[in-house]
């Protein structure tokens, strides 16, 4: 039996919108990867019809640490809207999330479109600026448990993203130290090398993978390269900061 894309899109969108955990879609629905991306696209259409704007794309499972933590071995991607943007230095409320986690990332700002298979060098040539970033992920599934199809349908757990100061793309990203602190204590430490050896490879993969579903990365879009380390659970009272060597830092605060 084939799955009802619109029904499933409504289920994941309602779960995100009302911060309510749901059972894994895969328990009752056998989805193909293509159908899972269709559910994702349709759930984002619901957000766009509520007035949100598409502003970019995020990559997932581009580091070994993330694959191991979540038990998924394939790279995935999700769609970013302006409704997910959290201001650098801003505050989020736990009430708006199911069970949020945070992970240190780097973000790219594009000044030219990217479409289809490109080399990391070609991908980096479309980069206007890069920034230290934090991603707030919040799987809508109970206990933060999912398989590949579930997580793709759930927009790759996208929930919030925070972008630090944009820097010109003249630093080599192949091995920059990354330290994520909670209330001043380092909780995750890594290197940008954890992202496929160089985050430019994640950007190239984003261009290739989006094209498989007919999408072009547009000039002006933000692309999140993926978590450098595993994610850390959030709780009220925590202030998070991610510092990327040479790029600066970005942070936010969590309240009840
Ligand atoms: C899925 C999203 C993965 C990343 O950076 O690897 C991701 C999840 O872990 O819930 O955002
Ligand atoms: Mg991420």
């Amino acid at each position: 039996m084939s799955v009802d894309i619109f029904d499933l899109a409504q289920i994941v969108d309602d779960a995100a919108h009302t911060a309510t955990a749901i059972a894994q879609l895969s328990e009752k629905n056998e989805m193909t990867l293509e159908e899972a991306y269709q559910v994702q696209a349709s759930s984002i259409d619901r957000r766009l019809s509520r007035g949100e704007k598409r502003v970019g794309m995020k990559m997932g499972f581009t580091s070994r640490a993330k694959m191991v933590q979540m038990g998924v071995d394939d790279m995935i991607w999700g769609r970013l809207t302006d409704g997910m943007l959290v201001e650098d230095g801003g505050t989020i409320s736990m009430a708006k999330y199911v069970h949020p986690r945070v992970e240190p990332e780097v973000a790219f700002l594009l000044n030219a479109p990217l479409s289809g298979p490109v080399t990391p060098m070609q991908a980096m040539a479309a980069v206007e600026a890069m920034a230290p970033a934090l991603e707030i992920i919040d799987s809508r599934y109970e206990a933060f448990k999912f398989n590949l199809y579930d997580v793709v349908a759930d927009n790759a757990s996208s929930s919030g993203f925070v972008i630090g100061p944009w820097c010109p793309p003249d630093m080599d990203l192949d091995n920059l130290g990354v330290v994520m602190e909670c209330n001043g204590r380092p909780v995750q430490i890594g290197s940008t090398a954890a992202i496929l050896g160089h985050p430019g490879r994640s950007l190239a993969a984003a261009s290739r993978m989006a094209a498989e579903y007919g999408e072009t990365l547009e000039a002006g879009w933000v692309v999140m390269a993926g978590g450098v380390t595993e994610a850390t659970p959030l709780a009220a009272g925590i202030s998070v900061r991610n510092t990327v060597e040479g790029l600066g830092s970005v942070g936010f605060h969590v309240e009840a």
Side-chain angles (χ1 to χ4, degrees), residues 58-59 103 105 135 137 226-227:
K58 64 151 293 175
M59 290 298 287
E103 56 199 18
E105 303 212 4
E135 186 178 26
I137 51 170

Side-chain angles (χ1 to χ4, degrees), residues 50-68:
R50 291 196 294 269
E52 293 182 33
K53 300 267 178 309
R54 181 75 186 278
V55 295
M57 172 166 168
K58 64 151 293 175
M59 290 298 287
F61 304 130
T62 50
S63 72
R64 188 86 207 119
K66 282 290 304 178
M67 289 185 190
V68 169

Side-chain angles (χ1 to χ4, degrees), residues 158-173:
S158 304
S159 191
F161 63 102
V162 200
I163 308 283
W166 288 114
C167 313
D170 51 14
M171 293 228 359
D172 198 341
L173 280 180

Side-chain angles (χ1 to χ4, degrees), residues 58-63 65-67 69-70 72 76 101 103-105 135-139 144 146 151 154-158 195 224-229 231:
K58 64 151 293 175
M59 290 298 287
F61 304 130
T62 50
S63 72
K66 282 290 304 178
M67 289 185 190
Q69 181 181 32
M70 303 317 299
V72 175
I76 61 172
R101 298 178 178 179
E103 56 199 18
E105 303 212 4
E135 186 178 26
I136 301 160
I137 51 170
D138 190 28
S139 174
F144 224 111
F146 47 68
V151 68
D154 184 29
N155 198 27
S157 307
S158 304
I195 308 292
M224 299 280 287
V228 170
T229 67

Side-chain angles (χ1 to χ4, degrees), residues 110-116 118 122-123 125-127 207 215-221:
L110 302 183
N111 60 16
L114 275 174
S115 180
V118 290
Q122 287 168 326
V127 172
S207 175
E215 292 229 344
T216 295
L217 309 189
E218 305 290 352
W221 274 19

Side-chain angles (χ1 to χ4, degrees), residues 16-69:
H17 201 51
T18 61
T20 310
I22 52 172
Q24 290 177 239
L25 295 183
S26 59
E27 277 178 13
K28 293 206 176 120
N29 305 274
E30 220 174 278
M31 279 178 284
T32 63
L33 192 58
E34 194 171 349
E35 286 166 335
Y37 275 108
Q38 283 167 3
V39 173
Q40 180 191 124
S42 175
S43 79
I44 296 302
D45 284 345
R46 297 173 61 90
R47 297 181 74 124
L48 300 182
S49 70
R50 291 196 294 269
E52 293 182 33
K53 300 267 178 309
R54 181 75 186 278
V55 295
M57 172 166 168
K58 64 151 293 175
M59 290 298 287
F61 304 130
T62 50
S63 72
R64 188 86 207 119
K66 282 290 304 178
M67 289 185 190
V68 169
Q69 181 181 32

